[in-house]
Amino acid sequence: MKEIRTADDLAINGAPPAFREPLHVGRPNIVSRDAFLTHVGKVLDNQWLTNNGPLVCELERRIADYLGVKHCVAMCNGTIALEIAIRALGLSGEVIVPSWTFVATSHALHWQGITPVFADIDPATHNLDPDAVRRMITPRTTGIIGVHLWGRAAPIDELQALAEERGLKLMFDAAHAFGSSYKGRSIGRFGACEVFSFHATKSFNTMEGGAVTTNDDELADAMRLMRNFGFKGYDNVIHPGTNGKMIEVCAAMGLANLEAIDEIFAAGQRNHAAYKQELAGLAGITLLDYGTADRNSHHYVVIEVERDFAASRDDIISALHAEGILARKYFWPGCHMMQPYRDLFPHAGLMLPHTVTLAPKVVILPNNASAAQTTGQLLRALAGARAQ
């Protein structure tokens, strides 16, 4: 790995890149190949590949125990999990969500004929602002979906109080938050239910998959029916449904990674600490920190680039890409500016001043200590070039 001392050392200026193999923001955690293959061997021995197999059932039990929640309903992916949870809760009309999130949160509503209404965020946390949510409630509002962005808990107590006051249903998109906590309690226990993504790029992955966790027995029963076409036993369909089942080989990956989850989180914490050290003292660059009051997987390394920095957000990303560091600008430009919402709600940005201000600042960096060192050197070289 090369050392960047001045702008002449940057790949955008003709120098060799820092990394021959590109470093992605999301790279799958595969902690123990042997553990995974052992579980896969069980799948082959059982000759049970899908349809609520024994490994899926075991994974559900172990996740529920890990999170301290009554029910975990495993799904084929996080988006289907969102759609099934939304339908099982009976949401309709309008549901309030942040625009500053992955587009699946709003698509899961729109796909089912429900209108996502975008509320603004707290610029310090990037999570929903309860006061902004209150301003967006109408007679057609039936629910709120809070998002634990970057694994940081949304303002759960405030959103719960608001939902109860206005007679709304509250659920959470916890795609980023497996292993995170709120006031000492694991994310997964709050609202009517919480939805996780176990996609390959998440800190805890099942290759592809997701789950809904809840303490509501009836809701869990409904979602189990809905993920399997509404079947209860053989040839007995008692509920509308779809195919949302997790397959056994995905559960095998989940079990292997769950056994090593503390190791995965510890690596994320070390990498985040490396970035904190490398970026210290850089005026105009802010690393989103997680504090120590609650747990976080530290999976996402998030920086904000202010206007007074030596280079623009997009120029920084171009320079990083040239070095082989494939930084991303999540969730640019915000769901309200993506289709179909840009055409459906052309003036939504007027109600989202903090989202609009934040969107051009954010860069997501690879969760990698080597990338941290190169990123720090690169930013200092850009700052030094401007100073000269």
Side-chain angles (χ1 to χ4, degrees), residues 180-233:
S180 296
S181 67
Y182 176 72
K183 295 185 177 180
R185 301 174 66 199
S186 293
I187 296 296
R189 310 183 194 187
F190 300 101
C193 63
E194 304 211 48
V195 179
F196 292 95
S197 169
F198 302 147
H199 180 65
T201 58
K202 297 295 186 289
S203 54
F204 171 71
N205 82 82
T206 62
M207 292 198 272
E208 180 68 276
V212 186
T213 58
T214 182
N215 286 313
D216 185 322
D217 297 342
E218 292 185 6
L219 185 61
D221 288 344
M223 291 188 293
R224 291 187 191 281
L225 288 170
M226 293 169 71
R227 73 174 177 184
N228 188 32
F229 305 102
F231 275 98
K232 185 175 184 179

Side-chain angles (χ1 to χ4, degrees), residues 28-339:
N29 290 315
I30 305 172
V31 179
S32 174
R33 182 187 298 260
D34 290 341
F36 170 61
L37 293 176
T38 296
H39 288 301
V40 171
K42 296 176 185 177
V43 174
L44 300 178
D45 291 342
N46 293 335
Q47 296 187 354
W48 195 338
L49 305 183
T50 186
N51 286 349
N52 205 34
L55 267 67
V56 167
C57 293
E58 181 183 353
L59 181 64
E60 289 179 329
R61 287 192 299 270
R62 291 182 60 181
I63 288 175
D65 288 344
Y66 180 78
L67 299 179
V69 66
K70 286 179 70 175
H71 302 283
C72 172
V73 184
M75 305 280 187
C76 58
N77 60 61
T79 303
I80 291 295
L82 274 172
E83 292 175 0
I84 287 177
I86 287 164
R87 188 174 289 267
L89 278 175
L91 297 180
S92 62
E94 297 176 352
V95 173
I96 298 173
V97 297
S99 172
W100 194 241
T101 181
F102 185 54
V103 73
T105 313
S106 50
H107 278 354
L109 293 164
H110 180 73
W111 196 255
Q112 301 184 74
I114 302 169
T115 301
V117 173
F118 300 115
D120 209 4
I121 57 171
D122 179 337
T125 66
H126 299 191
N127 278 324
L128 266 179
D129 176 1
D131 290 334
V133 173
R134 182 182 293 275
R135 290 193 293 270
M136 303 309 293
I137 296 173
T138 76
R140 297 189 69 239
T141 306
T142 61
I144 303 165
I145 301 179
V147 178
H148 305 304
L149 203 69
W150 318 129
R152 302 174 78 175
I156 292 171
D157 289 341
E158 293 90 339
L159 291 176
Q160 186 66 56
L162 178 57
E164 291 173 2
E165 174 193 334
R166 302 302 292 267
L168 304 175
K169 294 177 180 178
L170 173 66
M171 60 177 282
F172 290 97
D173 180 338
H176 292 181
F178 189 83
S180 296
S181 67
Y182 176 72
K183 295 185 177 180
R185 301 174 66 199
S186 293
I187 296 296
R189 310 183 194 187
F190 300 101
C193 63
E194 304 211 48
V195 179
F196 292 95
S197 169
F198 302 147
H199 180 65
T201 58
K202 297 295 186 289
S203 54
F204 171 71
N205 82 82
T206 62
M207 292 198 272
E208 180 68 276
V212 186
T213 58
T214 182
N215 286 313
D216 185 322
D217 297 342
E218 292 185 6
L219 185 61
D221 288 344
M223 291 188 293
R224 291 187 191 281
L225 288 170
M226 293 169 71
R227 73 174 177 184
N228 188 32
F229 305 102
F231 275 98
K232 185 175 184 179
Y234 293 111
D235 307 319
N236 184 27
V237 176
I238 65 170
H239 199 289
T242 186
N243 186 359
K245 301 185 297 293
M246 178 182 283
I247 64 173
E248 286 287 271
V249 72
C250 289
M253 178 63 79
L255 288 167
N257 283 336
L258 193 61
E259 291 160 5
I261 196 68
D262 290 341
E263 181 181 343
I264 292 170
F265 291 159
Q269 289 178 315
R270 289 194 299 270
N271 292 338
H272 196 272
Y275 273 104
K276 192 171 183 177
Q277 178 179 330
E278 294 292 340
L279 302 183
L282 269 168
I285 301 292
T286 302
L287 174 68
L288 194 67
D289 210 350
Y290 295 104
T292 57
D294 274 300
R295 297 192 312 275
N296 191 289
S297 68
H298 292 86
H299 182 60
Y300 291 93
V301 180
V302 185
I303 63 170
E304 296 178 26
V305 181
E306 302 297 338
R307 289 186 177 181
D308 59 352
F309 188 68
S312 71
R313 188 270 301 269
D314 289 358
D315 286 344
I316 289 170
I317 289 177
S318 295
L320 288 168
H321 280 211
E323 302 296 346
I325 299 174
L326 302 188
R328 300 283 302 279
K329 44 185 178 182
Y330 292 2
F331 293 102
W332 169 262
C335 292
H336 71 287
M337 289 297 291
M338 299 176 183
Q339 292 293 19

Side-chain angles (χ1 to χ4, degrees), residues 319-364:
L320 288 168
H321 280 211
E323 302 296 346
I325 299 174
L326 302 188
R328 300 283 302 279
K329 44 185 178 182
Y330 292 2
F331 293 102
W332 169 262
C335 292
H336 71 287
M337 289 297 291
M338 299 176 183
Q339 292 293 19
Y341 315 109
R342 184 174 62 205
D343 288 346
L344 291 172
F345 318 119
H347 304 299
L350 296 176
M351 300 298 293
L352 305 169
H354 294 310
T355 302
V356 170
T357 300
L358 180 68
K361 295 181 179 182
V362 168
V363 179
I364 311 300

Side-chain angles (χ1 to χ4, degrees), residues 5-19:
R5 296 180 179 275
T6 70
D8 291 337
D9 298 320
L10 296 172
I12 53 170
N13 293 329
F19 300 96

